[in-house]
Amino acid sequence: MGSILVGHTDSLFGNVPIQGAKNSALPILAATILCTGTCIVNNCPDLSDVNSTVDILKALGAKVKKEKNCITVDSSNINSYIVPQEMMTKLRSSILFLGSVVSRMGKAELYLPGGCKLGPRPIDWHLKALSDMGLEISLQNDMLKCETYGKLKGTQILLPLPSVGATENIILAAVLARGTTIIKNAAREPEICDLCNFLSSCGARIFGAGSSTIEIIGVDELYGTEHNVIPDRIVAATFMSATAITTGKVTLLNVVPKHLKSISKVIKKSGCMISTTQDTLTIESSGEIKSVGKVITDPYPGFPTDAQALIMAMCTIAKGNSEFVENIFENRYKHVEELLKLGADINVVGKKAIVNGVESLYGNHLKAKDLRGAAALIVASLAAKGETIIEGSEHLDRGYENFELHFKNIGANIKRI
Ligand code: EPZ
């Protein structure tokens, strides 16, 4: 287990290139096994979660070449329908191989997925939808045995909530199914659109991605393609909250500002100025953080749960109180206990957290418990007086490429120990 040492940092200045989105790259890589030809996926972030996904692709028989941020997948010889348990439990998005493996092989044998522990993360909506499409599923001792007995059949699926993973799994199962699948109450995240754009360029027929109703007309075959993964909006939010808490001026390169709308709105409330071009976003701190009022996490285009910890870290030294309501996950306040060790004043009652801004934070020894929580602890530590050690840097490596390097380049006092 590694640690990060963060020293007090007055201000951040410079440019940061934003990596490709983890939560786009992972479903797109899972989708490559649906194609008969070779897929080239560019702007793929170099992360442990991506490496774990590459291991799954190889276990299924794909030929994979990884060169920096470009992954080439030749799926012409997929010969296995089994994903070993140790590979499934490394990450949450391994469950997306359910849709893609049954679609390609007509059957699948896999296990319950891993990922950040944010409270219960069931996959009942994934299983119900695929079973409505004709998949026979049995679950024994964490093992999922699935068989299609012929092609899956398109149908209408109404999701109880716009689940990102369930929407992706249904799309992966539906692109090669017989007939039309309609997903109602589908997730609208940019990463869903990216997956659909990738699949469409392979020959899939998908309509309505980005809206609540997605229609997929099954086709007989998908072909290889070349695709660029969209920028990671949560990595962008990390540098935005760090600039706000330390003061300074930072330009994020290679972003899609409209994907950052709900985050920018909250950060502007804190007093920062934000300006954008087509693919850059510049954030300039006013030197003081104001309360951001109420932040409620919701499915896209609402405020993302993945940025909740980051904005909370920023608000620990704001003038006044800010309120957070976490609507997506039951247990996504694990960073609070650690922020308190820095001197923050935060009260959690159920879904709500009230942050009373304090004058100063003080360095301490902290323990990161999940990916975005780890990044939030680093954001707060930049503003803390003295030094902070954050244990658990492996959480960061699941989602951030060259984390310390990018921070160092803009003047942060940070190193891995
Ligand atoms: C995706 O997780 C992301 N992960 C998460 O990012 C993100 O926090 C989340 O979407 C919400 O935006 C990936 O894309 C790999 P959901 P996912 O299905 O798909 C409940 C990060 O830090 N639910 O939209 O697992 C579920 O329990 C990660 O990068 C069911 O009850 O999220 C949750 O309360 C963390 N049954 C809610 O829906 C189901 O079958 C939303 O989950 C499926 C979901």
Side-chain angles (χ1 to χ4, degrees):
M1 201 161 54
S3 298
I4 305 261
L5 176 69
V6 180
H8 178 79
T9 301
D10 278 329
S11 54
L12 297 175
F13 279 100
N15 297 336
V16 184
I18 298 298
Q19 68 187 53
K22 164 181 85 80
N23 291 345
S24 262
L26 301 179
I28 288 171
L29 289 173
T32 56
I33 65 158
L34 299 174
C35 304
T36 44
T38 296
C39 294
I40 301 172
V41 186
N42 298 312
N43 202 28
C44 232
D46 189 11
L47 307 169
S48 58
D49 272 10
V50 167
N51 293 336
S52 304
T53 305
V54 166
D55 289 342
I56 296 178
L57 290 170
K58 286 181 179 165
L60 294 170
K63 277 198 205 125
V64 188
K65 199 165 89 192
K66 186 165 175 269
E67 286 167 311
K68 289 192 176 157
N69 296 114
C70 173
I71 299 188
T72 305
V73 186
D74 172 1
S75 296
S76 39
N77 292 316
I78 296 292
N79 54 17
S80 170
Y81 56 88
I82 300 169
V83 183
Q85 188 164 25
E86 70 274 12
M87 294 189 183
M88 285 297 296
T89 50
K90 278 199 177 140
L91 70 171
R92 168 75 180 177
S93 69
S94 55
I95 194 58
L96 300 179
F97 282 95
L98 172 63
S100 61
V101 174
V102 291
S103 214
R104 171 78 189 240
M105 303 296 283
K107 55 181 170 179
E109 206 174 286
L110 23 78
Y111 296 81
L112 295 181
C116 285
K117 310 243 173 319
L118 312 172
R121 295 182 77 180
I123 53 163
D124 50 335
W125 305 338
H126 302 232
L127 300 183
K128 164 87 172 60
L130 268 64
S131 126
D132 288 351
M133 293 175 74
L135 185 66
E136 285 200 9
I137 306 170
S138 77
L139 174 61
Q140 277 166 7
N141 300 329
D142 289 357
M143 187 211 256
L144 284 161
K145 273 194 167 194
C146 312
E147 184 117 26
T148 61
Y149 301 105
K151 272 193 153 197
L152 291 171
K153 290 184 297 292
T155 186
Q156 179 156 317
I157 294 156
L158 172 64
L159 287 173
L161 286 172
S163 154
V164 173
T167 303
E168 290 167 343
N169 236 337
I170 299 165
I171 293 169
L172 291 168
V175 282
L176 290 175
R178 195 153 27 90
T180 300
T181 303
I182 295 173
I183 313 173
K184 296 265 179 197
N185 206 18
R188 300 168 58 191
E189 271 68 2
E191 294 77 18
I192 301 278
C193 298
D194 205 23
L195 171 65
C196 292
N197 287 338
F198 166 80
L199 286 166
S200 298
S201 76
C202 298
R205 296 185 65 200
I206 306 174
F207 306 94
S211 76
S212 305
T213 302
I214 302 180
E215 183 179 336
I216 305 129
I217 302 173
V219 296
D220 288 335
E221 200 177 356
L222 294 176
Y223 310 96
T225 191
E226 181 160 1
H227 182 83
N228 295 330
V229 172
I230 58 167
D232 196 307
R233 58 200 168 99
I234 307 304
V235 172
T238 307
F239 287 98
M240 289 165 82
S241 47
T243 309
I245 203 171
T246 55
T247 78
K249 184 176 177 183
V250 169
T251 297
L252 308 179
L253 310 175
N254 181 31
V255 290
V256 180
K258 76 168 186 239
H259 293 169
L260 292 161
K261 235 176 168 175
S262 62
I263 296 165
S264 296
K265 196 171 156 197
V266 172
I267 291 195
K268 274 185 191 163
K269 279 194 196 160
S270 79
C272 291
M273 279 166 297
I274 291 180
S275 57
T276 58
T277 65
Q278 205 188 337
D279 59 358
T280 69
L281 181 147
T282 300
I283 167 163
E284 187 169 4
S285 149
S286 66
E288 173 180 279
I289 301 176
K290 292 189 226 147
S291 140
V292 298
K294 197 166 179 172
V295 178
I296 303 174
T297 68
D298 267 322
Y300 192 85
F303 184 87
T305 171
D306 292 347
Q308 173 256 107
L310 297 162
I311 300 297
M312 184 181 291
M314 180 190 92
C315 290
T316 52
I317 57 163
K319 294 250 169 309
N321 300 347
S322 308
E323 183 179 333
F324 290 78
V325 181
E326 173 55 57
N327 273 331
I328 308 293
F329 290 109
E330 260 178 45
N331 192 6
R332 213 170 190 183
Y333 283 137
K334 285 191 193 155
H335 46 281
V336 169
E337 197 186 332
E338 304 302 304
L339 291 172
L340 296 180
K341 292 183 192 162
L342 295 176
D345 178 356
I346 307 170
N347 293 305
V348 176
V349 183
K351 285 175 156 199
K352 274 193 195 169
I354 309 283
V355 184
N356 305 305
V358 294
E359 196 82 1
S360 306
L361 299 175
Y362 300 91
N364 205 333
H365 196 125
L366 311 179
K367 199 165 178 177
K369 291 161 192 160
D370 59 57
L371 164 60
R372 308 302 172 188
L377 298 184
I378 288 171
V379 167
S381 305
L382 290 167
K385 294 197 168 137
E387 288 188 334
T388 303
I389 291 175
I390 299 132
E391 267 180 49
S393 56
E394 64 281 0
H395 290 293
L396 284 177
D397 299 331
R398 293 192 38 226
Y400 292 87
E401 180 178 315
N402 294 328
F403 189 88
E404 310 93 90
L405 183 74
H406 289 312
F407 265 109
K408 257 193 204 148
N409 285 347
I410 52 173
N413 219 327
I414 182 167
K415 71 173 179 204
R416 203 172 276 243
I417 49 171

